Amino acid sequence: MSGFCPELSDDVVEVRDWVHAFARDVIRPAGAEWDEREETPWPVIQEAAKIGLYSLDFFATQWFEESGLALPVAFEEIFWGDAGIGLSIVGTGLAAAALSSNGTPEQMGEWLPQMFGSEDDVKLGAFCASEPDAGSDIGAIRTRAVYDKGDWVLNGVKTWATNGGIANVHVVVATVEPSLGTRGQASFVIPPGTPGLSMGQKFRKHGIRASHTAEVILDDVRVPGSCLLGGKEKLEARLARVRNGERAGEQAAMRTFETTRPSVAAMAVGIARAGFEYARDYAREREQFGRKIGENQAIAFLLAEMATRVDIARLLTWRAAWMARNGKRFEQAEGSMSKLVAGETAVWVTEQAIQILGGAGYTREHPVERFHRDAKIYTIFEGTSEIQRLIIGRAVTGLQVR
């Protein structure tokens, strides 16, 4: 991409080193414990809030940093520490991105602070798009929002929601005009304590187990008209354009996912780097047949491939983040490229890390088995690898690949 230069400014380097220190000293030592407990690590989130890492100010400042690299660099360090705890710290950011992508300045001013709370009273946000029968197929969303006397009434079931049911503020994607498919959807803020919203099943997961994932049930949830992100006038104008066969912009959920893909890719890069570094250090120390195992070409070449793939994923991630910050369109689906490559790299690299450690890598005495479990979700959530390939295929061919 013309104009892209992956050189970090002094400010971004300072943020990277600050976040890395927190990940090294606080997140990583707690990773195994909270993975076993499968609970939200509130004490760690509280520590992150105390230093300003978990805060609206941090996300806003890094999001609007000039190069666009500050947030992915910070996310890589957090997830290098531990992915489950990392997602508990940054999961609110997805709801915040949904609000920022679709909401008015007034809505952002009202609801963003309530997603994070304060260092003395930490809160969470949740973005609710997926449903039991509508994961990758967002056109199959059945949650319905009906306008009634100035309010909106929502009914449906959301699933796979990070922080779902325990968040202070939920952002929910719902259908307002079913005949229009994805173009007939909108996003809504559900304020704290709204009657009718409840948590359904909490999922026990293969990885990222310190991050809360659950169903969210909406049973006649009534919210004021002001909770429609973007406002009713904007929604009606968009629906009118769709009915007339005109382009009406991106659908709400897709706009959120496109915005966050480079950040999600950065999380996967952090996991991959953690796996590579642990295997590299092990290979430097472990002896077999009278020499370090890293002296064997089989191991050295594998480590070389792991290091190369991590760098490739990082550079694709930085490029997408830089493009997004500088208003460059993803003409070749560069956001999806970063998510696809980073997710699959994390799975492959952490699997090779286990292989290098041998039987020891398969035990919980070493963290690489946890890294591998955590990595797998990055080929699934916020767009599976198959969906990313579909998006990229459409972009590079200009055809409606199905």
Side-chain angles (χ1 to χ4, degrees):
M1 168 56 64
S2 176
F4 172 64
C5 179
E7 182 176 349
L8 300 181
S9 68
D10 291 343
D11 288 343
V12 174
V13 170
E14 184 178 351
V15 169
R16 180 196 65 193
D17 294 346
W18 170 61
V19 176
H20 178 78
F22 183 81
R24 180 194 63 218
D25 299 337
V26 180
I27 295 176
R28 179 163 283 195
E33 175 189 350
W34 290 98
D35 176 73
E36 291 285 350
R37 292 175 64 165
E38 297 191 56
E39 297 174 359
T40 301
W42 290 105
V44 184
I45 301 173
Q46 188 77 52
E47 289 301 310
K50 287 179 180 178
I51 67 167
L53 180 57
Y54 182 80
S55 69
L56 175 58
D57 284 346
F58 173 78
F59 279 86
T61 300
Q62 305 315 315
W63 186 265
F64 292 109
E65 182 271 330
E66 185 176 354
S67 71
L69 301 182
L71 208 57
V73 164
F75 279 16
E76 178 181 332
E77 297 304 328
I78 292 170
F79 282 72
W80 171 89
D82 180 75
I85 293 175
L87 200 56
S88 287
I89 292 173
V90 309
T92 295
L94 182 58
L99 178 54
S100 300
S101 297
N102 300 291
T104 65
E106 293 76 18
Q107 289 170 328
M108 287 187 275
E110 179 175 4
W111 298 112
L112 284 174
Q114 295 190 50
M115 288 183 178
F116 291 90
S118 66
E119 64 178 79
D120 298 319
D121 187 20
V122 169
K123 303 294 185 184
L124 301 174
F127 179 60
C128 306
S130 295
E131 298 186 358
D133 296 319
S136 296
D137 182 10
I138 62 169
I141 285 177
R142 295 181 180 178
T143 296
R144 187 75 193 277
V146 177
Y147 193 66
D148 180 49
K149 300 176 182 178
D151 294 337
W152 288 92
V153 180
L154 285 77
N155 282 281
V157 176
K158 294 295 182 179
T159 195
W160 315 123
T162 299
N163 299 333
I166 65 171
N168 195 47
V169 177
H170 292 74
V171 177
V172 175
V173 178
T175 296
V176 296
E177 194 160 330
S179 64
L180 300 180
T182 60
R183 296 174 298 174
Q185 295 171 359
S187 295
F188 299 83
V189 168
I190 312 299
T194 300
L197 185 147
S198 61
M199 187 178 81
Q201 176 186 3
K202 177 186 174 182
F203 296 103
R204 300 188 65 188
K205 305 187 297 296
H206 176 65
I208 56 168
R209 300 199 302 190
S211 173
H212 175 94
T213 310
E215 291 179 326
V216 174
I217 299 170
L218 302 134
D219 184 11
D220 284 336
V221 172
R222 181 177 288 269
V223 297
S226 60
C227 288
L228 167 64
L229 293 188
K232 194 167 189 295
E233 183 177 338
K234 183 178 179 181
L235 172 65
E236 289 179 343
R238 178 167 62 83
L239 295 179
R241 291 196 300 272
V242 173
R243 296 188 198 100
N244 291 331
E246 302 173 26
R247 289 182 61 85
E250 294 176 286
Q251 187 275 340
M254 290 307 297
R255 184 159 54 248
T256 299
F257 291 139
E258 191 67 10
T259 300
T260 59
R261 276 185 188 126
S263 294
V264 174
M267 301 175 193
V269 173
I271 300 169
R273 186 181 118 215
F276 160 70
E277 290 180 357
Y278 197 91
R280 177 201 62 197
D281 294 346
Y282 185 87
R284 286 170 171 171
E285 299 299 326
R286 173 69 167 165
E287 291 190 4
Q288 288 282 279
F289 305 108
R291 63 179 180 178
K292 309 292 187 186
I293 65 171
E295 295 178 34
N296 296 316
Q297 281 192 3
I299 301 297
F301 284 9
L302 183 54
L303 287 167
E305 182 72 15
M306 292 161 73
T308 301
R309 292 199 190 189
V310 171
D311 272 9
I312 290 169
R314 181 185 295 110
L315 287 171
L316 284 172
T317 299
W318 284 10
R319 180 184 69 168
W322 178 86
M323 289 177 67
R325 179 64 185 90
N326 287 276
K328 309 290 185 182
R329 287 182 58 83
F330 289 164
E331 300 287 355
Q332 300 294 304
E334 288 88 350
S336 289
M337 287 182 182
S338 69
K339 164 69 164 60
L340 170 66
V341 172
E344 298 204 339
T345 294
V347 173
W348 185 84
V349 167
T350 54
E351 181 178 7
Q352 304 318 307
I354 293 174
Q355 194 71 20
I356 288 172
L357 269 69
Y362 199 68
T363 71
R364 294 190 181 180
E365 293 181 14
H366 297 273
V368 289
E369 64 84 26
R370 185 172 80 252
F371 297 161
H372 187 53
R373 288 189 286 107
D374 291 342
K376 183 55 189 171
I377 193 62
Y378 288 88
T379 66
I380 299 172
F381 76 170
E382 294 199 43
T384 63
S385 289
E386 291 73 22
I387 290 295
Q388 306 307 329
R389 287 187 171 92
L390 185 66
I391 294 169
I392 297 165
R394 288 174 176 172
V396 301
T397 64
L399 302 174
Q400 283 299 308
V401 182
R402 298 182 183 277

